């Protein structure tokens, strides 16, 4: 399958491997694309909105569900 490297903003609640909800600071992560997230429409440098599922203890831990290209000029809070 295809993968996509995404730099994301802070996530306020992320379920950890032990099941607790904790914040995740901004970082770059690699996601596995699914049929629900057609990455053919996305180019390097595009701003996107994604939802993903976490599957701990598997090869494809992070799987994209939908992916949506954001309008030009959208402001994100990313580390420099």
């Amino acid at each position: 399958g295809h993968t996509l490297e995404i730099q994301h903003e802070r996530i306020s609640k992320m379920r950890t491997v032990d099941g607790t909800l904790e914040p995740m600071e901004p970082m770059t992560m690699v996601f596995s694309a699914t049929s629900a997230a057609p990455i053919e429409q996305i180019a390097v440098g595009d701003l996107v909105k994604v939802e993903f599922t976490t599957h701990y203890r598997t090869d494809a831990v992070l799987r994209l569900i939908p992916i949506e290209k954001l309008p030009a000029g959208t402001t994100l809070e990313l580390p420099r």
Side-chain angles (χ1 to χ4, degrees):
H2 297 298
T3 60
L4 198 60
E5 189 173 286
I6 297 177
Q7 184 181 14
H8 67 77
E9 296 178 289
R10 184 178 192 277
I11 299 172
S12 61
K13 293 181 183 175
M14 172 79 179
R15 189 160 313 276
T16 65
V17 70
D18 65 5
T20 60
L21 291 174
E22 297 183 9
M24 178 183 281
E25 295 306 315
M27 66 177 66
T28 300
M29 299 172 71
V30 177
F31 293 87
S32 293
T34 66
S35 59
I39 62 173
E40 300 81 29
Q41 311 163 31
I42 307 301
V44 173
D46 282 349
L47 300 179
V48 296
K49 176 183 175 181
V50 301
E51 289 183 37
F52 63 93
T53 57
T54 307
H55 301 266
Y56 293 108
R57 298 181 184 88
T58 66
D59 290 339
V61 174
L62 302 168
R63 298 178 192 161
L64 291 176
I65 306 287
I67 186 166
E68 172 188 338
K69 192 171 176 179
L70 295 172
T74 300
T75 302
L76 300 177
E77 295 179 25
L78 299 170
R80 298 195 189 271

